[in-house]
Amino acid sequence: AAASGNAPPAGAAKTPKAFCTDYVSVFGCRQGAACPYPHLEKKDIDCPHKAKAGGCKTAAGKCKWKH
């Protein structure tokens, strides 16, 4: 059976996630309400670019992620 976007392969150790990464993608989460991970909006998730070298390059106040 093929693994879904969020589920680890059978027998693999589960790595806990703070939120559903598929939900915030352009394709969305295929599992809907059955997804075991929280569905958070980008505005509620720390900007992944902020911690990188050079920081977030989006103009102040325009980034869709939390700062």
Side-chain angles (χ1 to χ4, degrees):
S4 67
N6 282 329
K14 290 185 179 181
T15 303
K17 292 196 295 186
F19 62 92
C20 176
T21 53
D22 289 336
Y23 183 74
V24 295
S25 76
V26 293
F27 301 108
C29 178
R30 295 175 294 184
Q31 296 187 50
C35 181
Y37 304 106
H39 286 174
L40 302 176
E41 299 297 327
K42 285 183 179 180
K43 65 182 176 65
D44 298 323
I45 302 169
D46 288 331
C47 177
H49 308 287
K50 187 169 66 169
K52 292 181 180 177
C56 180
K57 306 237 187 296
T58 304
K62 300 288 184 186
C63 185
K64 295 179 182 178
W65 302 88
K66 182 172 84 176
H67 280 259

